[in-house]
Amino acid sequence: MMITNVHRRLLTGLTTVFCLLFASTALAQAIRNGQKFWDGSVLYTAKVTDNGTVMMSGIGQHEGGFRFQLSKDYSKEGRYCLSADAPDAILPVRGELGWTVDYIRQQGMNFLAIRKPNGDVCHTLVLTPDNLQNCIAQEKFAEEQPVSDIITGMLLNTTYLSRIPRLRLRLMRNEILARHGWTFQSQDLKDLFESQPWYHPVADNNSIKLNIIEQTNIQLIKSEEGLSDEVRGYVPKAEDFPGGLADDGRGPDGIEENDHLDDGDAPIDPHSQGTVVQYDGEQYIRVTTAEQFVNSIISGINILVAKDTEINLTPLLDDASKWNTHWHLWCPEGGTNVGEGQAIFSEEVFDGRQLTIANYKQIVIRGEGNSRIVVEPRYAFSLNFKNCEQIYIQNLTIGHTEGGNCLGGVIGVQGGWRININNCDLYGCGTYGLELNNTRDFSMYDSNIHDCTYGIMLLHDVEFAKFERCDFFHNREFTLIDGHNSNLTFYGCRFYANSGDSPLFGLDKEFYMADCEVYHPTENLGAIHLADQSGAKNLFSENPLTPNIKPRGIGPK
């Protein structure tokens, strides 16, 4: 790879930081006047008073009151505690007044470590000679490196970790141990790391010696796992996950969080986080509750709805206390205009609330077997996607608990591209099985749409939608396939037992149909303009209730 002058300057800056980190330990362990410390977002300068109190004043990319105070603790050399210069002072760092701050110059390290009462590090500030601009450039450069290259050789900070979803933090923490051959008791960790060619487990974990960087990083990551994403300042964006285990061919690196160093037994909150499993050779987060499902919606993550599980989203959507974090938002009707930011909404509709997922990409939502996602409001979409890309929904039954009219389908898609539904059963009583708007490259395979109160699908400005080996039945009332300015293709699909007095097709553009079976009165086929069928024949029958149709075996048992 060509090294540009910019890269040389960044590498030079990082080298300077590492030289400081691994310099001689001969200097006294006391903060000196004028020293600068970087915590990933703010550059602090120390001003030492005559009695040893240290005033830390910071500057960052954004304006703010970046000030805190350290009082000398004479019980140990290099030890301070967080204090305040005013009664109403708000600390800009992790920690509370009175918590210990150590100036660590161990094994050549030079940094401040803020510790929780249990002794674990919760915030780090590294000694640096650089100005703010260079520190920001170095931070950005570090964020662009693979996570696996960072965790054992560079001191982490809360700013870096705030860009990583909590589901991935546990894996980062345990990879530090795995790199030394730690023998894991958790089966998921054993399976995961034993599949890596670099992992060589040792006979005795007590023989493993971690350096000060690794010890501090483990404690810092563990501390972050115990915080809410609102406190961490985490806002999920696809571009915020550079590097990581997925970059070297090991797949998504999300895993549920435990409270042990090597993560043996129970998760911190089993009701809010799923469990990482290997399924069909891929890594998934298995979920059994609505809260686990919503918390697992992260770009690049595979979600597995557990076998024989029904996830009713409505109780969670109705609970306002669970929403209004950085990306889980409680919104009034129509209040989901967030531009390009990723967000998950509990959005108000006429008779309740619906789940709207905005600006996410590369997500698989899959059922393990007889797995269902439902909502109760009749006017809500079961799942609603806005400006999402590469969403794959597989092996699921999705629908409503009761019928409705006017608004709310089973799956809604506004904007975005490459949405795929495979081996799914979409049932009413939503108004339409699918409502697609301004969408590109939609596909549906081996699936059903049935028992919808207004029709099969409603489409506006859809650039290429393909349906292959799908059944459409028991749908009723208005034009069943209603499309405007949309390109559609049907291969091997069957249309039967739909409302015979409703027009089947209401499309204003030619569409392609091949090897399909259509059981519907000829006078109610509607506006049908078949494009070139390339010799493939379709079967048309006047009788919508043809008895010889055998179900494809999709849907609930």
Side-chain angles (χ1 to χ4, degrees):
M1 176 177 132
M2 182 178 294
I3 302 295
T4 65
N5 289 333
V6 172
H7 288 140
R8 287 193 182 96
R9 288 197 297 271
L10 291 174
L11 288 169
T12 300
L14 284 175
T15 302
T16 302
V17 172
F18 277 102
C19 285
L20 281 170
L21 292 178
F22 294 97
S24 167
T25 58
L27 297 176
Q29 291 181 303
I31 300 173
R32 291 182 290 137
N33 198 48
Q35 284 184 323
K36 292 183 289 186
F37 295 88
W38 171 249
D39 75 347
S41 61
V42 179
L43 182 63
Y44 291 93
T45 301
K47 182 179 180 181
V48 184
T49 65
D50 293 339
N51 64 0
T53 299
V54 181
M55 300 296 301
M56 302 289 281
S57 299
I59 54 173
Q61 286 182 288
H62 308 288
E63 294 183 3
F66 303 122
R67 289 170 55 88
F68 65 97
Q69 182 174 291
L70 300 176
S71 297
K72 188 70 176 176
D73 182 344
Y74 294 97
S75 66
K76 182 179 180 181
E77 186 180 9
R79 175 157 291 178
Y80 298 80
C81 66
L82 286 172
S83 57
D85 59 348
D88 58 347
I90 299 176
L91 294 176
V93 293
R94 296 274 196 274
E96 299 179 10
L97 296 179
W99 284 15
T100 295
V101 181
D102 282 334
Y103 185 18
I104 295 177
R105 296 175 65 86
Q106 179 182 344
Q107 300 173 0
M109 295 296 298
N110 290 253
F111 67 97
L112 299 180
I114 301 176
R115 298 186 184 277
K116 298 190 291 186
N118 68 356
D120 284 350
V121 176
C122 63
H123 200 96
T124 58
L125 302 93
V126 66
L127 181 67
T128 179
D130 283 314
N131 59 27
L132 177 64
Q133 183 177 1
N134 287 342
C135 287
I136 293 172
Q138 292 161 22
E139 191 73 23
K140 182 174 177 58
F141 181 75
E143 289 168 355
E144 292 171 351
Q145 308 313 303
V147 172
S148 297
D149 293 350
I150 294 292
I151 53 177
T152 60
M154 178 179 173
L155 187 70
L156 300 180
N157 56 55
T158 56
T159 301
Y160 179 89
L161 294 175
S162 71
R163 298 172 67 85
I164 297 173
R166 293 171 69 226
L167 290 172
R168 297 188 180 187
L169 290 177
R170 175 181 178 243
L171 185 59
M172 286 179 60
R173 173 162 56 88
N174 283 283
E175 188 182 354
I176 297 173
L177 299 171
R179 291 284 175 179
H180 288 274
W182 187 278
T183 300
F184 294 94
Q185 296 184 13
S186 294
Q187 191 62 46
D188 56 352
L189 293 174
K190 286 182 63 177
D191 294 343
L192 186 64
F193 290 121
E194 285 177 358
S195 67
Q196 312 308 322
W198 48 261
Y199 177 63
H200 304 288
V202 299
D204 182 7
N205 287 339
N206 292 325
S207 66
I208 293 175
K209 304 299 181 185
L210 304 178
N211 63 36
I212 189 63
I213 293 178
E214 294 165 329
Q215 294 176 40
T216 303
N217 285 347
I218 285 175
Q219 292 179 12
L220 188 65
I221 295 171
K222 186 177 179 181
S223 176
E224 289 294 292
E225 289 179 83
L227 300 175
S228 69
D229 285 319
E230 183 176 14
V231 172
R232 293 176 58 223
Y234 167 69
V235 180
K237 297 178 183 178
E239 63 270 21
D240 283 345
F241 310 127
L245 299 180
D247 279 9
D248 38 23
R250 287 177 278 172
D253 47 6
I255 202 160
E256 99 279 354
E257 48 190 332
N258 287 351
D259 56 359
H260 299 96
L261 184 66
D262 65 6
D263 302 287
D265 302 315
I268 290 175
D269 183 358
H271 299 293
S272 63
Q273 304 295 340
T275 303
V276 170
V277 297
Q278 294 292 322
Y279 189 78
D280 279 357
E282 299 287 339
Q283 184 172 301
Y284 284 80
I285 300 176
R286 180 188 278 135
V287 300
T288 58
T289 68
E291 192 167 353
Q292 290 176 1
F293 175 75
V294 171
N295 284 339
S296 299
I297 298 173
I298 300 170
S299 289
I301 291 295
N302 299 334
I303 302 171
L304 185 68
V305 180
K307 187 176 181 180
D308 298 324
T309 295
E310 178 176 280
I311 292 181
N312 186 342
L313 296 173
T314 296
L316 175 62
L317 293 170
D318 288 344
D319 186 352
S321 68
K322 301 290 187 180
W323 298 83
N324 280 340
T325 64
H326 281 278
W327 76 100
H328 295 166
L329 304 176
W330 179 270
C331 287
E333 185 173 2
T336 57
N337 183 17
V338 292
E340 298 180 357
Q342 292 184 335
I344 304 169
F345 297 90
S346 171
E347 182 180 18
E348 183 179 349
V349 294
F350 179 74
D351 63 340
R353 307 191 76 84
Q354 68 185 14
L355 181 70
T356 294
I357 302 166
N359 298 309
Y360 282 80
K361 60 176 62 176
Q362 295 179 329
I363 296 176
V364 176
I365 303 173
R366 183 174 181 175
E368 194 171 13
N370 195 32
S371 311
R372 304 172 298 283
I373 297 176
V374 301
V375 294
E376 296 173 13
R378 297 171 298 165
Y379 298 87
F381 284 105
S382 301
L383 293 173
N384 192 35
F385 298 93
K386 287 195 173 184
N387 301 322
C388 291
E389 301 178 5
Q390 295 174 275
I391 305 296
Y392 305 95
I393 303 172
Q394 304 169 354
N395 199 32
L396 281 165
T397 296
I398 307 174
H400 293 71
T401 58
E402 58 180 296
N405 296 286
C406 298
L407 301 169
V410 181
I411 292 181
V413 180
Q414 294 87 44
W417 69 287
R418 196 170 293 177
I419 311 296
N420 172 267
I421 299 174
N422 185 20
N423 197 42
C424 287
D425 187 75
L426 275 57
Y427 68 92
C429 303
T431 53
Y432 293 92
L434 295 172
E435 290 194 31
L436 311 179
N437 291 277
N438 299 301
T439 301
R440 179 164 53 95
D441 196 9
F442 176 92
S443 57
M444 186 173 186
Y445 299 95
D446 299 298
S447 298
N448 296 332
I449 296 179
H450 62 95
D451 292 285
C452 295
T453 56
Y454 272 21
I456 297 168
M457 64 185 77
L458 180 65
L459 309 96
H460 292 274
D461 299 316
V462 177
E463 184 179 341
F464 189 69
K466 178 181 179 181
F467 300 86
E468 189 165 340
R469 297 181 305 277
C470 295
D471 280 0
F472 309 102
F473 57 94
H474 294 165
N475 302 289
R476 57 191 184 274
E477 195 152 358
F478 298 120
T479 301
L480 297 171
I481 298 178
D482 193 348
H484 306 280
N485 193 33
S486 299
N487 304 105
L488 276 71
T489 298
F490 297 95
Y491 289 96
C493 295
R494 301 187 299 186
F495 306 80
Y496 64 93
N498 296 296
S499 176
D501 57 358
S502 298
L504 181 55
F505 295 100
L507 303 169
D508 57 3
K509 298 184 70 172
E510 284 191 336
F511 63 96
Y512 184 95
M513 178 183 287
D515 198 27
C516 292
E517 299 177 33
V518 180
Y519 301 92
H520 204 85
T522 302
E523 66 272 16
N524 288 324
L525 284 179
I528 179 168
H529 307 286
L530 297 179
D532 178 19
Q533 299 178 38
S534 303
K537 294 185 178 180
N538 299 299
L539 169 66
F540 290 89
S541 170
E542 290 282 340
N543 183 7
L545 302 177
T546 302
N548 61 355
I549 295 287
K550 295 182 179 180
R552 300 182 191 268
I554 306 167
K557 298 177 182 178

